[in-house]
Amino acid sequence: MDSRYLQSLIATIDHGSIAEAARAENLTAAAISQRIQALEREFGLPLLSRLAHTAKPTEACLHLLPRARHIVREVALLAGDTDINGLIGTIRIGAISTAMTGMLPQVLRHLTQNAPNLKPGIVPGTSRSLYQALVNDEIDAAILVAPVFELPKSLQMYKIRSEALVLLSRRAPQDGIPTALQSRPYLRYDPSAWGGRYAEKYLKDQGLTLEAMCDLDALETIAMLVADDVGVSLVPHWSGLEKLAQDCILTPISDPGYARDLVLMSKLQHPRPSMLTLLSQALGIKL
């Protein structure tokens, strides 16, 4: 069995269609279909349920998917076994959007300068989706907001930085932050997001009940809307916020209880620990 066929099957499942998998794999849709059909013949059962332009795994496929991911991952690691430093191959890094623009450029420069044979694969997502991807062994490490629940023993977490909650507005608050929040339309950082709970906690502690103009999980969008004077918001002070909000006023909330912690999370046992060590160094983490 060719592991590349398994990779094409996994790509189809992850992307939701053969066409998207073909783009990701840099192959034709016909080539992806032929690989999956070959696997179906070998296993003697259908692996995908095709409907219109989508493709979903069958129940039988879901049962073999974890082992298929493991096989593909192990094959990908073979090349790195020839390197005594363990810095050959791909490291899949998940990152929330603010980390993508705020700190990843510097991280990628550090990785490529210190390990030219290491190929970083960047996976964007929310904290919740990246956590699940890490649990499922779909990525090697994730830069995300620290969860409030206790981690399973198979995972480890290191703090990168704390990001204080700030009032983001076009004008400096004259009569305090609560008054400023009530005087302009409120652009709410989605309270269901892992980082959004801190703004909600502040409002609750201040006894404020605000009618949100809209809920957004995209902090960059919130910053641009505030810059256009659409409203005000409570957001974490992430690295790179000033670039998007050059004409805005950032008024910090000094209480550290409202700050969100950005962390690096990974599996406790990783086949290439030197990759994670280099990534930690790039983020300024001392293990």
Side-chain angles (χ1 to χ4, degrees):
M1 181 182 298
D2 193 328
S3 64
R4 293 175 299 176
Y5 288 20
L6 291 176
Q7 175 59 47
S8 293
L9 173 64
I10 292 169
T12 301
I13 294 169
D14 289 346
H15 291 279
S17 75
I18 289 175
E20 289 299 322
R23 278 189 278 271
E25 295 274 280
N26 198 27
L27 295 169
T28 65
I32 296 289
S33 294
Q34 289 169 5
R35 288 182 173 188
I36 293 172
Q37 289 168 6
L39 289 173
E40 290 177 328
R41 287 194 299 270
E42 186 162 347
F43 287 118
L45 46 81
L47 297 174
L48 293 179
S49 175
R50 298 171 177 83
L51 181 63
H53 300 294
T54 64
K56 295 183 178 180
T58 62
E59 185 175 352
C61 182
L62 288 174
H63 285 297
L64 64 83
L65 192 56
R67 192 180 299 277
R69 290 188 187 277
H70 178 74
I71 290 171
V72 170
R73 177 62 176 155
E74 288 299 309
V75 170
L77 288 170
L78 276 175
D81 289 337
T82 61
D83 177 29
I84 191 172
N85 296 314
L87 293 174
I88 291 179
T90 300
I91 179 170
R92 301 159 300 171
I93 307 167
I96 59 175
S97 62
T98 52
M100 293 274 289
T101 56
M103 60 181 62
L104 267 189
Q106 176 183 341
V107 168
L108 293 177
R109 282 194 295 270
H110 183 93
L111 293 180
T112 54
Q113 288 172 1
N114 290 276
N117 293 319
L118 182 62
K119 180 182 178 182
I122 308 303
V123 179
T126 64
S127 293
R128 183 178 288 105
S129 67
L130 293 175
Y131 172 81
Q132 196 58 52
L134 189 60
V135 170
N136 295 339
D137 284 324
E138 296 169 11
I139 55 177
D140 298 297
I143 303 170
L144 70 169
V145 177
V148 295
F149 54 82
E150 185 176 351
L151 292 183
K153 294 182 179 179
S154 60
L155 297 180
Q156 59 185 349
M157 181 173 71
Y158 297 96
K159 181 177 175 180
I160 301 172
R161 54 179 283 164
S162 284
E163 297 179 333
L165 190 67
V166 299
L167 170 70
L168 189 62
S169 60
R170 280 295 300 269
R171 292 170 285 278
Q174 300 299 318
D175 300 310
I177 292 176
T179 301
L181 287 167
Q182 293 172 304
S183 63
R184 297 282 292 145
Y186 180 51
L187 305 167
R188 182 163 61 181
Y189 181 13
D190 189 348
S192 67
W194 285 10
R197 59 179 177 262
Y198 299 104
E200 286 300 291
K201 182 178 185 296
Y202 174 81
L203 294 177
K204 182 178 179 180
D205 291 347
Q206 295 295 317
L208 296 175
T209 302
L210 302 179
E211 186 68 31
M213 179 180 178
C214 58
D215 288 344
L216 294 164
D217 190 16
L219 288 171
E220 297 90 344
T221 302
I222 292 176
M224 288 187 287
L225 288 172
V226 174
D228 286 339
D229 205 19
V230 175
V232 298
S233 189
L234 291 169
V235 298
H237 190 174
W238 76 87
S239 174
L241 171 57
E242 288 85 354
K243 292 181 181 179
L244 289 173
Q246 294 181 6
D247 297 325
C248 296
I249 303 295
L250 279 64
T251 308
I253 294 170
S254 57
D255 190 332
Y258 302 117
R260 74 172 188 178
D261 285 342
L262 212 61
V263 299
L264 174 67
M265 193 180 295
S266 65
K267 285 290 182 72
L268 187 60
Q269 300 295 329
H270 190 273
R272 292 285 186 271
S274 53
M275 290 184 180
L276 294 181
T277 299
L278 186 62
L279 175 60
S280 300
Q281 291 172 352
L283 290 166
I285 299 171
K286 295 182 179 180
L287 301 181

